[in-house]
């Protein structure tokens, strides 16, 4: 699995795709947070908080993570190298696991430039340093876990299709439904008490707890379950192609 992980990272960083994705995420988030007139602009909000970044980031990752993961298995099948991997002394779970870790790491690296935003708000706060560190730290943990969940969903989408474009569209669709679609459906309150259950199936409510600075083991276990379920299904679909 570690060999596949290193190979995938080399592919991401060797052809500049990872650098472009990290730069694109940083530029887009900076424009929304500091330059464009919108509800995410920190200067217009007037509060020394990174909350806008943690509201905006899941929507950006909803499109970025499937773009990173779409080629992981779909390209292998399309080029025929997936069947070459089957002949090697490596388990299918190791193939899927190595690719998942590489996608997740690239997603996490997208967050590094955001530390500049934290420092900027820390300095500009009145008084200096007037920023809720525990809430920010909890939000970062939640975002890292959410990236892992999106990565697992993206890997699953890539295992379902041999076409990279279809894998990307399916990945975006699944991430959108799991993060926002289920939450929005539950907000209509059409099913009575079942709305609460439906609400807790989606990503949004569990991620929202992290943005409040609450690192709850129930939310962590929920995301771990989703990650292992997604990777398990991806391994099964890959095994069906063997």
């Amino acid at each position: 699995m570690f060999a596949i992980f290193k190979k995938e990272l080399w592919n991401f960083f060797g052809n500049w795709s990872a650098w472009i994705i990290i730069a694109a995420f940083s530029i887009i988030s900076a424009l929304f947070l500091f330059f464009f007139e919108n509800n995410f602009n920190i200067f217009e909000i007037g509060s020394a908080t990174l909350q806008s970044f943690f509201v905006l980031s899941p929507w950006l990752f909803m499109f970025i993570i499937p773009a990173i993961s779409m080629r992981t298995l779909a390209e292998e099948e399309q080029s025929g190298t997936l069947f070459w991997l089957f002949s090697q002394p490596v388990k299918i779970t190791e193939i899927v696991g190595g690719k998942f870790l590489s996608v997740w790491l690239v997603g996490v690296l997208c967050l590094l430039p955001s530390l500049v935003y934290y420092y900027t708000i820390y300095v500009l706060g009145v008084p200096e340093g007037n920023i809720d560190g525990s809430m920010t730290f909890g939000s970062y943990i939640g975002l890292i876990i959410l990236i892992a969940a999106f990565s697992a969903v993206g890997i699953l989408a890539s295992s379902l299709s041999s076409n990279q474009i279809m894998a990307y569209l399916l990945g975006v669709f699944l991430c959108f439904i799991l993060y926002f679609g289920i939450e929005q459906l539950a907000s209509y309150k059409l099913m009575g008490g079942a709305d609460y259950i439906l609400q807790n199936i989606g990503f949004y409510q569990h991620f929202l707890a992290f943005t409040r600075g609450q690192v709850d083991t129930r939310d962590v276990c929920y995301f771990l379950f989703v990650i292992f379920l997604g990777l398990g299904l991806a391994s099964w679909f890959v095994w069906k192609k063997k």
Side-chain angles (χ1 to χ4, degrees):
M1 185 171 67
F2 186 65
I4 293 173
F5 170 67
K6 290 194 297 182
K7 170 183 171 291
E8 290 296 312
L9 277 185
W10 175 254
N11 287 337
F12 285 134
F13 287 97
N15 62 9
W16 294 90
S17 60
W19 300 107
I20 293 171
I21 287 170
I22 294 171
F25 176 85
S26 302
I27 292 170
I28 293 171
S29 59
L31 289 174
F32 274 95
L33 293 176
F34 297 102
F35 297 99
F36 293 163
E37 293 185 8
N38 59 86
N39 295 329
F40 299 108
N41 192 296
I42 292 172
F43 296 125
E44 292 188 9
I45 293 172
S47 299
T49 176
L50 264 180
Q51 201 66 14
S52 295
F53 173 73
F54 297 113
V55 174
L56 174 66
S57 292
W59 289 95
L60 297 180
F61 282 121
M62 198 182 297
F63 295 93
I64 287 176
I65 296 299
I68 303 171
S69 63
M70 67 179 183
R71 54 168 295 278
T72 50
L73 293 168
E75 185 184 52
E76 297 277 12
E77 184 179 0
Q78 196 172 32
S79 61
T81 54
L82 182 62
F83 301 101
W84 176 81
L85 282 174
F86 290 153
S87 65
Q88 302 304 306
V90 59
K91 298 177 182 177
I92 291 176
T93 53
E94 293 173 339
I95 296 173
V96 173
K99 291 178 178 295
F100 161 75
L101 289 175
S102 64
V103 173
W104 180 53
L105 181 58
V106 174
V108 171
L109 290 176
C110 288
L111 297 178
L112 288 180
S114 70
L115 297 177
V116 177
Y117 310 154
Y118 178 82
Y119 177 75
T120 301
I121 296 173
Y122 183 91
V123 172
L124 294 178
V126 180
E128 183 175 325
N130 182 28
I131 183 172
D132 192 333
S134 60
M135 183 181 293
T136 304
F137 179 72
S139 299
Y140 268 115
I141 292 176
L143 199 52
I144 290 171
I145 296 175
L146 183 65
I147 291 170
F150 280 161
S151 299
V153 172
I155 294 290
L156 174 60
S158 186
S159 70
L160 290 170
S161 176
S162 60
N163 184 282
Q164 294 185 53
I165 303 300
M166 289 301 299
Y168 173 73
L169 294 176
L170 180 59
V172 171
F173 174 76
L174 290 175
C175 289
F176 174 81
I177 292 297
L178 288 169
Y179 180 76
F180 184 72
I182 293 176
E183 171 67 21
Q184 200 63 15
L185 183 63
S187 69
Y188 293 137
K189 302 186 183 304
L190 301 175
M191 296 178 288
D195 287 320
Y196 176 77
I197 299 174
L198 181 64
Q199 197 174 46
N200 282 275
I201 293 175
F203 290 174
Y204 181 79
Q205 286 298 321
H206 296 280
F207 174 69
L208 192 62
F210 286 101
T211 63
R212 297 174 181 144
Q214 302 170 356
V215 182
D216 195 321
T217 53
R218 290 173 296 181
D219 297 317
V220 174
C221 289
Y222 164 81
F223 278 115
L224 288 177
F225 172 76
V226 170
I227 292 166
F228 283 110
L229 178 62
L231 296 179
L233 289 173
S235 299
W236 186 76
F237 283 118
V238 173
W239 177 79
K240 292 285 287 184
K241 298 175 182 179
K242 189 173 181 179

